[in-house]
Amino acid sequence: MKIKHAYLTASNPEALAQFYREIGMPVRFADGERWIQFATDGAAFCIAGLGESAVEPSSNAVVVFEVEKLEGALAKAVDAGGTNISGIRDMGSHGRAAQIRDPQNNLIQFFERAKA
């Protein structure tokens, strides 16, 4: 398992993205106000709009783990004491994702890339 990306939730993603651009992080990809991903080495850093995020802005950071088999990762997380809180979200050609609360109530996501 590897960390795919971490993101912050923003009610005004573009305004927050401007801050990160100004401190030297160029944008790699933007989907309007829904999702802005910055060019980084290794795991990605992103800003999610309210409709794209798993959390409210006051909760904020979410770590996303890319997995090979989403159902297997969910089962393993639940067996280890986590709680599946969302079911599986189909994101079309991007892949599928699910939200989990770990045993200390932190929100994480598992992401399975769409098969080519």
Side-chain angles (χ1 to χ4, degrees), residues 97-111:
Q99 301 168 32
I100 300 96
R101 290 242 180 235
D102 72 14
Q104 292 190 24
N105 210 35
N106 296 299
L107 183 66
I108 62 172
Q109 287 182 315
F110 290 146
F111 170 81

Side-chain angles (χ1 to χ4, degrees), residues 6-30:
Y7 64 85
L8 300 177
T9 302
S11 56
N12 186 341
E14 182 51 40
L16 188 55
Q18 182 61 32
F19 168 79
Y20 287 100
R21 283 194 298 269
E22 287 181 14
I23 64 170
M25 296 182 72
V27 172
R28 175 180 289 149
F29 168 81

